[in-house]
Amino acid sequence: MNEIMLGAIALGSIAVSLFFFRFWKSTRDRFFLLFALSFLIEGVNRIVLYESVGLSEDAPIYYLIRLVAYGLILAAIIDKNRGPRRRE
Amino acid sequence: MSAVIYTLCALTSLACVWFLMGAYARTRHRLLFWSGLCFVMLTVSNILNIFDRFILPNVDLVPARLATALVAVLLLIFGLIWEGE
Amino acid sequence: MNSDPHDQAIADDGRRFILTSIPSVPFMEAILLFKALPGQAVETRSVAERLYTSEKQAAVLVEQLAAGRIIAPVEGQPNTHRFAPSAELAAMLDKVTHAYVHNLIGVTRLIHSRTERMAHQFADAFKIRKDP
């Protein structure tokens, strides 16, 4: 059951990243590129590290990569606020 | 060292909840609500992770961690499809 | 996709305005109507007639336009409004109505683009503006 859930999480994360890639494609706003990359990294991380680390996820590298993924979300949000407030 | 990284994971996902729900409160844009809910569940998953590793080492929390993370992405997928209409 | 001529002609700020502030094609048509009669008091009934729509739907449009501060109610005359945007908004409306008239297909497509609309609203939600 655990393996099934892990696979579903990985696929789900990649599906979410595709949605955000689509947003990026239509708006060209890098905000969405960062969101897309974040979920892509998380999805791939789950698959790749399952092979080497297993279900216990007991490896700091696993969480360092996850930290990068979450960091991209925060970076996207902060980047939005740093940009020009007004176009004119 | 690993305790620091695990805690940072929980804190960054919590920060995402804070930003997403804050933006939702301001704009009432519903996709933000689903994204926020996704990160609520991811935060729970990360906190369970800390418990699993350091506080309750004798209890197997792997299924709970995976289940919360799965619910998290399912919520966001639901939101992206539902609100996209 | 980007080679589509209908996509090219609309400037970035215009695109953003259309996606965030113009919910439908009748809404755009109603803006054109009020804009063509600057300063004049226009009854909701006449909006319905000119847009070939029901008075009920016209009332909804008028309400949306008033909420967007594009038109303002005329004092002492019920169900009557006039074109009354701020200078800044008027300049933007000039831009988008010009784009609409000259690139009908592109702008109409943009109004109906739900994905892009959702994306813009999502991203814009994180801009914490000082003015509401």
Side-chain angles (χ1 to χ4, degrees):
Chain A
M1 192 59 199
N2 284 347
E3 280 85 353
I4 292 174
M5 286 199 286
L6 187 74
I9 295 165
L11 178 62
S13 300
I14 292 166
V16 168
S17 93
L18 284 176
F19 271 101
F20 285 123
F21 271 120
R22 182 159 154 246
F23 285 179
W24 174 64
K25 189 180 142 233
S26 66
T27 63
R28 291 281 140 191
D29 188 336
R30 67 171 171 234
F31 174 84
F32 293 113
L33 191 58
L34 293 171
F35 264 66
L37 282 176
S38 173
F39 281 93
L40 184 65
I41 289 170
E42 173 67 0
V44 172
N45 192 24
R46 298 252 180 202
I47 296 169
V48 171
L49 278 130
Y50 172 67
E51 287 298 320
S52 55
V53 181
L55 272 175
S56 72
E57 304 180 349
D58 200 358
I61 181 69
Y62 192 96
Y63 288 93
L64 271 177
I65 293 172
R66 180 175 291 177
L67 201 54
V68 170
Y70 292 163
L72 286 176
I73 299 277
L74 293 177
I77 294 170
I78 291 163
D79 183 47
K80 246 304 117 181
N81 276 296
R82 262 195 350 193
R85 293 269 154 95
R86 298 221 142 191
R87 288 273 185 137
E88 284 85 12
Chain B
M1 180 56 194
S2 54
V4 173
I5 297 172
Y6 297 156
T7 309
L8 276 177
C9 269
L11 287 177
T12 43
S13 55
L14 189 63
C16 290
V17 171
W18 191 71
F19 279 119
L20 289 163
M21 285 308 192
Y24 171 68
R26 278 196 308 278
T27 63
R28 299 272 140 194
H29 184 55
R30 295 226 301 251
L31 187 53
L32 290 162
F33 174 73
W34 295 109
S35 310
L37 223 49
C38 170
F39 274 93
V40 168
M41 295 311 288
L42 287 177
T43 306
V44 171
S45 182
N46 282 313
I47 290 171
L48 283 174
N49 187 39
I50 296 170
F51 272 81
D52 197 12
R53 201 85 61 210
F54 305 106
I55 300 168
L56 300 167
N58 300 321
V59 186
D60 178 21
L61 289 176
V62 171
R65 272 162 42 197
L66 290 172
T68 45
L70 180 56
V71 169
V73 289
L74 288 179
L75 283 168
L76 186 47
I77 290 174
F78 175 82
L80 284 162
I81 291 173
W82 193 256
E83 304 302 334
E85 196 184 346
Chain C
M1 283 294 266
N2 283 342
S3 60
D4 190 333
H6 297 308
D7 261 13
Q8 290 291 338
I10 310 158
D12 269 2
D13 54 345
R15 278 183 93 81
R16 185 167 285 264
F17 182 82
I18 290 166
L19 287 165
T20 53
S21 310
I22 308 230
S24 65
V25 171
F27 186 93
M28 182 70 105
E29 292 284 347
I31 293 175
L32 282 178
L33 193 159
F34 277 99
K35 197 167 170 292
L37 304 166
Q40 279 189 48
V42 182
E43 273 187 88
T44 302
R45 184 155 46 84
S46 121
V47 173
E49 277 167 17
R50 282 160 190 262
L51 296 183
Y52 304 102
T53 182
S54 70
E55 217 171 313
K56 210 170 164 185
Q57 278 173 312
V60 173
L61 280 176
V62 164
E63 203 175 296
Q64 288 176 330
L65 286 163
R69 296 180 186 274
I70 293 167
I71 60 173
V74 178
E75 265 181 64
Q77 298 180 53
N79 300 322
T80 307
H81 293 75
R82 71 158 64 91
F83 190 61
S86 66
E88 196 185 357
L89 182 55
M92 180 53 79
L93 292 174
D94 272 342
K95 219 182 265 188
V96 296
T97 52
H98 182 270
Y100 180 66
V101 171
H102 291 87
N103 184 3
L104 189 65
I105 294 172
V107 173
T108 305
R109 204 184 274 171
L110 199 54
I111 290 172
H112 290 142
S113 159
R114 292 197 56 90
T115 305
E116 200 172 336
R117 183 183 298 274
M118 181 160 82
H120 273 294
Q121 287 172 347
F122 187 86
D124 281 353
F126 293 98
K127 284 188 204 156
I128 303 161
R129 292 194 189 81
K130 295 233 166 80
D131 50 315

